[in-house]
Amino acid sequence: DNSITAMINERKTKLIVDTGNKYNITSSHLHKTIFKNCKLKEIEGASPRMNKRLICKGYSNAVISISHLAINSKVYVIDGKAES
């Protein structure tokens, strides 16, 4: 298991950190179940398709906290029920 426990907007969750990726993503299933109070914003001037397989539903601004480090970030919500 390569996941870590982190806080996203003060909600505890497990995630995988990919430091080489320029996007922070989560599944629409996770967004509906855990982050349903975080309203999604539309991506302006961009296609909702991030690549041939990922369809982006929108994004929300978030604070991602790991231990004592916290960063402000955008978390993009992709269609589906992603599994790691």
Side-chain angles (χ1 to χ4, degrees), residues 5-22:
T5 301
M7 301 287 283
I8 300 178
N9 291 346
E10 300 179 0
R11 302 288 229 136
K12 191 176 190 178
T13 188
K14 287 185 123 188
L15 47 98
I16 296 173
V17 176
D18 181 355
T19 58
N21 196 339
K22 71 180 196 176

Side-chain angles (χ1 to χ4, degrees), residues 14-60:
K14 287 185 123 188
L15 47 98
I16 296 173
V17 176
D18 181 355
T19 58
N21 196 339
K22 71 180 196 176
Y23 296 107
N24 297 305
I25 60 173
T26 189
S27 69
S28 58
H29 174 75
L30 185 65
H31 183 267
K32 288 176 191 170
T33 57
I34 297 178
F35 303 109
K36 60 187 169 198
N37 294 330
C38 298
K39 185 177 178 182
L40 289 183
K41 299 176 184 177
E42 289 186 30
I43 301 171
E44 294 181 23
S47 167
R49 191 172 286 278
M50 294 175 91
N51 67 30
K52 291 180 181 177
R53 290 178 276 185
L54 297 179
I55 298 173
C56 186
K57 306 296 261 179
Y59 74 92
S60 64

Side-chain angles (χ1 to χ4, degrees), residues 73-84:
S73 182
K74 289 182 180 176
V75 175
Y76 293 87
V77 177
I78 58 169
D79 194 29
K81 190 174 181 179
E83 295 287 331
S84 60

